[in-house]
Amino acid sequence: MFRYWSLALALGTLLLACAEDNDFVDVCFAHEGEKPPHCEFIDFDDVFQTSSTDIKFNWSFITKLTISNKKIIGVPTKMFASLPNLESFIVLNSLFYREIDPNSFVDCNKLNHIEITGTNITLLDSHMFPKTPKLQYLLFHHNRIAEIKHDAFEFLGELEELNLSYNNLTRLPSGVFHKLRKLKTLDLNHNSLVLLSFDSWFPSDGAVAMTFLDASYNQLVDMAWTEITVRKVNLKYNNLTSVTINGNCSEFHASHNAIDTVTIGRNCSLEKLYLAHNRIQGSDWLQKCSDTLRSLDISHNLQQKGTDFLNLKQITALNIECTNITLNYKTLHDLRKLRFLDISYNNLKRIDLENLTSQRLLERLMISGNPIANISISAIKRNFPNLKSLGIYDLPWNSTSLSIAIDDLKKHDIQPYIRSDYLFDESKCPLKVTPSFGNDTDHDSGDPDHSKDKRDHVVGGDKTFEYVVIALLLLAVCGLLAKLFVDSRYFPVLFKERIQRRTSISHESLVSCDLNG
């Protein structure tokens, strides 16, 4: 056995060594004569040589070059001179022995996609990619970049997407994006940026109109942003205490910060706003977006008791979980388009349906984590005829009450949320109430002693049933073991007797035959 394991280990090591010594790169060719477009492997040494004069090929039909899991001295100077039709250059999970030379990317007249990811580069030097007039996508994510020169992107006037995520950036120099007037997507997530200085990074004339900005998972404490137009913004998991939302922004994510002040610009066109896990109080600042806002999440922001959402008549999804809000007539008055409502973990002891008469179109209602003694499923269905799901997770009900509620929900074609179906982990809301597991949904008794006896009886009945099942299983196992023990002692004896009997009979027969003979 040891020899087999040794042979397998040796074979695996050999295969791994062969894989690491793979001297080929993946290239794709355009249509060439009678040959259709195709991809194949070429010799790694033919691409990367120590000097440009050593390059041994002139394949003008190559359109895509992919290098992965290699050790590279560096991108050779003027390497792309022999690749005039190259459109995509990709380096994945490779080791550079020196930083990228800006003079490597010259005469790349058709290059529009560069992706260098999973490498050890730390610097983007001045005048990177000086002659790449059609470059639109530049992806430098998952590297170790700690410094970018202020004129690194000086010649990239056509660039539309820049990805610098998962690096070691702590700051960006002033004017670093001044020439990127056509930039649509900027991804800076998972760095260590402290200041979001849009006003100094981009041109001051406000000519840039981006579609998406992601600066989540940084260490941002402040943002300077006045004239730049960005449609979708993601600033989750930072240290911001205040944010300014421009009027042209349609989607804004800033959950898990320390925000207590929100400023809305003029002509608000905000449609989706996510500010969960902050320190926001009040909702008056939302009035500027009352005509456009459709989805709002301010969960885990402790509010004042009188907070309401009047005039947000276009809203279809509202999450006010763990906000300490009380439901009265004014809280959700006239929100007739509402289809999703989460009021979990608000210490609500009952749901007054008369305060929710406007929400006839509601499809999903979450009431989890509230000390609600009982609810009427039929009344909820009458009030919300379109209801498709009801969150009843972490309520102070025993198993009997929960089973009755689930059966009742299924009779009304409502899907129950009874586990962590929409809560990805256990709620850490400070308003969370420890379940007492003593209430029933079908009816309540006015006698406290009777209720206590009933709870003890139900719980005791459940425990007794469990004990009976366990005892039966143990008896079955013991019986099976006993049977095996008896069989192990009895069958060898019986088998031996049968052998002896069969042997004696055969011997007597032989003797008889001999006598007869």
Side-chain angles (χ1 to χ4, degrees):
M1 180 63 70
F2 177 75
R3 287 182 301 171
Y4 291 121
W5 279 107
S6 300
L7 181 61
L9 182 61
L11 182 60
T13 305
L14 179 62
L15 292 175
L16 182 61
C18 292
E20 290 180 349
D21 291 337
N22 181 11
D23 288 334
F24 295 93
V25 295
D26 187 19
V27 297
C28 295
F29 294 86
H31 184 80
E32 180 182 2
E34 297 181 355
K35 291 183 178 180
H38 65 286
C39 298
E40 63 181 59
F41 291 99
I42 64 173
D43 194 331
F44 181 71
D45 291 334
D46 287 341
V47 181
F48 282 81
Q49 294 290 340
T50 56
S51 66
S52 60
T53 58
D54 294 329
I55 296 178
K56 303 175 183 178
F57 64 90
N58 187 16
W59 294 324
S60 60
F61 290 97
I62 293 179
T63 59
K64 181 179 179 180
L65 176 62
T66 303
I67 302 166
S68 60
N69 300 299
K70 297 290 186 295
K71 296 179 180 179
I72 305 171
I73 295 178
V75 180
T77 303
K78 299 182 180 179
M79 184 193 82
F80 297 100
S82 56
L83 301 169
N85 291 309
L86 189 67
E87 298 177 358
S88 178
F89 177 65
I90 302 173
V91 180
L92 304 174
N93 304 320
S94 297
L95 179 65
F96 282 88
Y97 286 104
R98 62 170 179 252
E99 301 293 342
I100 298 176
D101 186 354
N103 293 322
S104 301
F105 295 89
V106 295
D107 300 322
C108 305
N109 295 321
K110 293 188 177 181
L111 191 62
N112 74 340
H113 178 273
I114 295 177
E115 181 174 359
I116 300 177
T117 179
T119 72
N120 61 325
I121 59 174
T122 62
L123 170 68
L124 294 185
D125 211 343
S126 298
H127 301 141
M128 296 285 292
F129 322 110
K131 295 184 179 180
T132 53
K134 293 187 177 180
L135 189 62
Q136 294 180 315
Y137 306 98
L138 183 58
L139 313 178
F140 272 109
H141 55 92
H142 290 86
N143 293 293
R144 300 179 183 177
I145 300 173
E147 182 182 1
I148 300 177
K149 298 295 184 181
H150 74 280
D151 52 357
F153 311 117
E154 189 79 12
F155 301 105
L156 303 183
E158 299 296 319
L159 195 67
E160 295 184 2
E161 180 178 347
L162 177 60
N163 191 333
L164 298 169
S165 62
Y166 289 90
N167 280 288
N168 300 328
L169 295 169
T170 58
R171 60 176 297 275
L172 292 174
S174 178
V176 66
F177 304 135
H178 268 206
K179 300 295 183 179
L180 307 184
R181 294 181 175 270
K182 293 187 178 181
L183 191 65
K184 301 298 181 185
T185 299
L186 176 60
D187 195 342
L188 300 169
N189 79 80
H190 285 87
N191 279 281
S192 299
L193 295 171
V194 176
L195 183 61
L196 194 66
S197 306
F198 259 46
D199 292 341
S200 65
W201 294 345
F202 286 93
S204 57
D205 55 8
V208 177
M210 290 199 303
T211 303
F212 180 65
L213 164 69
D214 190 349
S216 59
Y217 294 93
N218 278 271
Q219 299 174 16
L220 298 176
V221 296
D222 198 5
M223 54 188 293
W225 177 12
T226 55
E227 299 298 334
I228 307 301
T229 299
V230 185
R231 294 294 294 170
K232 297 181 180 181
V233 179
N234 185 2
L235 301 177
K236 295 188 298 184
Y237 289 95
N238 281 287
N239 300 318
L240 295 168
T241 57
S242 63
V243 292
T244 300
I245 305 176
N246 285 354
N248 42 49
C249 182
S250 64
E251 187 171 330
F252 194 88
H253 298 253
S255 300
H256 294 275
N257 280 273
I259 299 170
D260 56 21
T261 304
V262 180
T263 303
I264 306 291
R266 294 174 297 176
N267 303 319
C268 178
S269 58
L270 197 62
E271 296 179 3
K272 298 179 180 180
L273 180 59
Y274 304 95
L275 296 172
H277 294 273
N278 281 288
R279 301 172 183 174
I280 301 170
Q281 291 190 352
S283 60
D284 295 340
W285 50 276
L286 288 170
Q287 300 306 316
K288 290 184 178 180
C289 303
S290 59
D291 294 333
T292 59
L293 193 61
R294 287 173 171 77
S295 182
L296 175 64
D297 183 357
I298 58 168
S299 59
H300 295 268
N301 289 271
L302 297 183
Q303 302 291 323
Q304 299 174 353
K305 291 290 185 180
T307 301
D308 60 62
F309 301 92
L310 295 174
N311 301 322
L312 299 182
K313 297 182 179 181
Q314 303 301 321
I315 201 161
T316 59
L318 178 61
N319 188 346
I320 50 176
E321 173 192 346
C322 190
T323 54
N324 200 33
I325 282 181
T326 55
L327 290 182
N328 54 44
Y329 179 74
K330 290 179 57 178
T331 307
L332 305 174
H333 179 64
D334 213 22
L335 304 187
R336 300 183 182 277
K337 296 184 178 182
L338 200 62
R339 285 172 169 78
F340 171 81
L341 175 63
D342 192 339
I343 53 176
S344 305
Y345 296 99
N346 279 303
N347 203 19
L348 300 174
K349 295 179 175 57
R350 56 177 296 179
I351 305 295
D352 293 322
L353 297 179
E354 60 268 19
N355 295 327
L356 299 171
T357 55
S358 302
Q359 289 72 45
R360 301 286 292 175
L361 299 179
L362 197 67
E363 297 177 359
R364 296 177 62 194
L365 175 62
M366 304 300 166
I367 61 173
S368 302
N370 288 296
I372 301 173
N374 57 75
I375 57 174
S376 172
I377 304 301
S378 57
I380 288 180
K381 186 63 176 180
R382 285 194 302 270
N383 203 72
F384 311 118
N386 294 318
L387 194 66
K388 298 177 181 178
S389 59
L390 179 66
I392 53 176
Y393 173 84
D394 206 8
L395 291 174
W397 300 346
N398 59 32
S399 57
T400 303
S401 303
L402 188 60
S403 299
I404 294 173
I406 292 173
D407 292 340
D408 215 0
L409 286 170
K410 292 180 178 179
K411 290 178 183 178
H412 292 86
D413 296 324
I414 300 174
Q415 177 66 35
Y417 283 85
I418 57 176
R419 299 183 182 90
S420 298
D421 295 327
Y422 71 102
L423 297 172
F424 296 104
D425 52 12
E426 186 178 357
S427 176
K428 295 180 174 55
C429 178
L431 303 177
K432 181 177 179 180
V433 178
T434 304
S436 61
F437 299 107
N439 298 307
D440 288 332
T441 56
D442 48 355
H443 64 276
D444 294 328
S445 174
D447 186 359
D449 296 332
H450 176 74
S451 299
K452 182 178 183 301
D453 293 339
K454 182 177 180 180
R455 289 197 297 268
D456 295 340
H457 174 72
V458 172
V459 175
D462 293 340
K463 291 294 183 181
T464 302
F465 178 75
E466 293 177 3
Y467 294 151
V468 170
V469 171
I470 293 174
L472 290 175
L473 289 174
L474 290 175
L475 288 174
V477 171
C478 292
L480 182 61
L481 292 175
K483 185 177 184 302
L484 291 175
F485 177 74
V486 172
D487 290 346
S488 66
R489 293 173 57 87
Y490 173 72
F491 278 113
V493 175
L494 179 63
F495 185 70
K496 183 177 180 180
E497 291 177 354
R498 288 183 178 178
I499 293 295
Q500 292 176 350
R501 189 182 303 116
R502 187 176 302 168
T503 304
S504 61
I505 292 173
S506 301
H507 178 71
E508 291 174 356
S509 300
L510 289 175
V511 172
S512 301
C513 292
D514 291 339
L515 291 176
N516 293 332

